[in-house]
């Protein structure tokens, strides 16, 4: 098993495969998008598979594919087919906005991918357009129902923004009453590509939970895995669960088991760091697997204690979540 310098096991990789996206969520990127990475900046599929093999040999067991919107990268299914075959990788999941996902659901299922995180911040079409700057709610809902009909483990993520979608908390949460899904509410983080400032979120995990408890006074805490970033809850009769993710408050760092790799192949050992190792540059300079392994292990031995320490030491601030992967 792989451990960091704070004795936390590392078992989970979040791999962002592109910064491009078919939405423009205001909490993630400016209206005009980002200065997109060029193709040569991106890790190739071969480079990503090589990295995943090395990490699996070290102890990484779970990979979540994210982005940007992963399904806008060409030949994604071909890559996923190879990824699920890597020895040691026990679970592959996908995080998607659901816009172009429905068509891929049968293939995802046949690859054995069972866990999909779907971003959905409102059930109101107008507000969806206001938040994402695209009129795609019907496509996302089609994806959601296809996933549920095909027995995927579905987790919906909603970023809660004051005066924007706080009135959507209860309608979204009511979906967990009737469907077997996890509806999770996330504190807004300062990763919007510099479009506008974000300070302390007006909707922190306590306020979100209080709002849920007002509607469901009998809400009880579920037993979560120690490394869970969401605190999960259930009310009597509920099919699914409600979750709150203290992403800004950073209360889960003590058990964090995850590392991240950005679309340009930068290793992040904390969501809030600025990137600690260019895997792409090492690979392209000819590093062999033993050399790469050594560099990765060194980075894992210097992990910041928590997101506050990582943020303090980060050279760059105001990145877009599309270059981090969530
Ligand atoms: N495009 C895919 C999607 O939206 O699900 C995958 C990438 S997206 C960057 C991953 C997650 O990051 C989404 O659940 C999104 O809601 C979340 N996210 C993006 N910007 C955020 C922010 N500023 N604060 C909190 N969560 C954010
Ligand atoms: Fe795209 Fe996901 Fe960012 Fe929204 S949150 S702009 S869907 S990458």
């Amino acid at each position: 098993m792989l451990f960091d310098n704070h004795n936390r096991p590392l078992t989970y990789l979040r791999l962002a495969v592109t910064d491009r996206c078919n939405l423009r969520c205001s909490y993630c990127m400016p209206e005009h998008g980002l200065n997109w990475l060029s193709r040569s900046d991106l890790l190739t599929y071969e480079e990503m598979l090589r990295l995943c093999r090395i990490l699996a040999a070290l102890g990484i067991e779970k990979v979540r594919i994210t982005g940007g919107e992963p399904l806008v990268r060409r030949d994604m299914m071909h890559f996923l087919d190879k990824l699920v075959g890597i020895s040691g990788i026990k679970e592959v999941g996908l995080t998607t906005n659901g816009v172009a996902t429905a068509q891929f659901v049968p293939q995802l299922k046949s690859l054995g991918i069972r866990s999909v995180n779907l971003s959905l911040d409102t059930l109101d079409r107008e507000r969806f357009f206001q938040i994402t700057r695209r009129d795609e709610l019907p496509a996302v809902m089609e994806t959601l129902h296809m996933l549920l009909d095909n027995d995927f483990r579905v987790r919906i993520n909603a970023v809660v923004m004051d005066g924007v979608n706080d009135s959507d908390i209860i309608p979204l949460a009511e979906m967990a009453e009737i469907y077997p899904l996890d509806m999770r509410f996330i504190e807004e983080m300062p990763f919007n590509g510099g479009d506008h400032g974000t300070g302390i979120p007006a909707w922190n995990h306590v306020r979100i939970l209080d709002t849920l408890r007002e509607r469901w006074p009998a809400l009880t805490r579920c037993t979560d895995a120690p490394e869970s970033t969401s605190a999960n809850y259930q009310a009597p009769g509920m099919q699914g669960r409600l979750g709150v993710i203290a992403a800004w408050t950073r209360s889960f760092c003590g058990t964090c088991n995850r590392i991240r790799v950005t679309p340009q192949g930068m290793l992040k050992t904390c969501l809030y760091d600025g990137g600690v190792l260019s895997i792409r540059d090492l690979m392209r300079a000819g590093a062999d697997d033993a050399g790469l392994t050594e560099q990765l292990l060194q980075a894992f031995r210097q992990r910041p204690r928590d997101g506050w320490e990582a943020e303090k030491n980060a050279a760059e601030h105001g990145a877009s979540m599309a270059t981090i992967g969530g």
Side-chain angles (χ1 to χ4, degrees), residues 181-200:
L181 53 78
D182 283 1
M183 180 66 231
R184 312 189 311 172
F185 298 94
I186 312 179
E187 293 175 351
E188 186 176 6
M189 291 181 270
F191 300 121
N192 57 37
D195 198 21
H196 52 84
T198 50
I200 300 172

Side-chain angles (χ1 to χ4, degrees), residues 23-26 31 121-138 164:
L23 294 181
R24 295 286 182 275
C25 305
S26 57
E31 188 163 11
D121 309 300
T122 178
L123 295 173
D124 178 90
R125 192 164 173 174
E126 277 290 310
R127 199 140 49 234
F128 184 95
F129 180 78
Q130 184 196 340
I131 295 169
T132 68
R133 296 147 170 156
R134 299 287 186 272
D135 182 24
E136 295 285 5
L137 181 63
V164 179

Side-chain angles (χ1 to χ4, degrees), residues 205-258:
H205 61 119
V206 177
R207 190 173 176 199
I208 296 168
L209 184 58
D210 285 349
T211 303
L212 295 172
R213 278 202 197 286
E214 258 174 49
R215 168 69 175 77
W216 290 279
L219 214 54
T220 52
R221 179 85 194 255
C222 305
T223 310
D224 297 317
E227 68 279 7
S228 176
T229 51
S230 55
N232 296 298
Y233 300 84
Q234 224 172 10
M238 215 174 236
Q239 297 286 308
R241 304 187 306 171
L242 301 177
V244 185
I245 303 182
W248 188 91
T249 306
R250 287 159 251 193
S251 45
F252 43 64
C253 301
T255 54
C256 178
N257 67 338
R258 44 189 75 191

Side-chain angles (χ1 to χ4, degrees), residues 18-30 34 36 66-70 95-99 119 121 131-133 159 191 320-323 325:
T18 179
D19 58 336
R20 295 186 190 228
C21 192
N22 42 14
L23 294 181
R24 295 286 182 275
C25 305
S26 57
Y27 49 76
C28 180
M29 61 174 73
L34 304 171
W36 308 117
T66 175
E69 174 50 33
T95 299
T96 174
N97 60 28
V99 170
S119 298
D121 309 300
I131 295 169
T132 68
R133 296 147 170 156
V159 179
F191 300 121
S320 162
M321 193 62 98
T323 63

Side-chain angles (χ1 to χ4, degrees), residues 91-145:
E91 187 186 333
V92 174
L94 180 74
T95 299
T96 174
N97 60 28
V99 170
T101 314
Q103 60 184 309
F104 296 111
V105 168
Q107 271 171 288
L108 292 170
K109 189 174 183 179
S110 71
L111 289 174
I113 294 177
R114 311 297 308 146
S115 159
V116 173
N117 291 3
L118 190 66
S119 298
L120 180 60
D121 309 300
T122 178
L123 295 173
D124 178 90
R125 192 164 173 174
E126 277 290 310
R127 199 140 49 234
F128 184 95
F129 180 78
Q130 184 196 340
I131 295 169
T132 68
R133 296 147 170 156
R134 299 287 186 272
D135 182 24
E136 295 285 5
L137 181 63
V140 179
M141 295 310 286
E142 186 195 346
T143 294
L144 171 60
H145 287 291

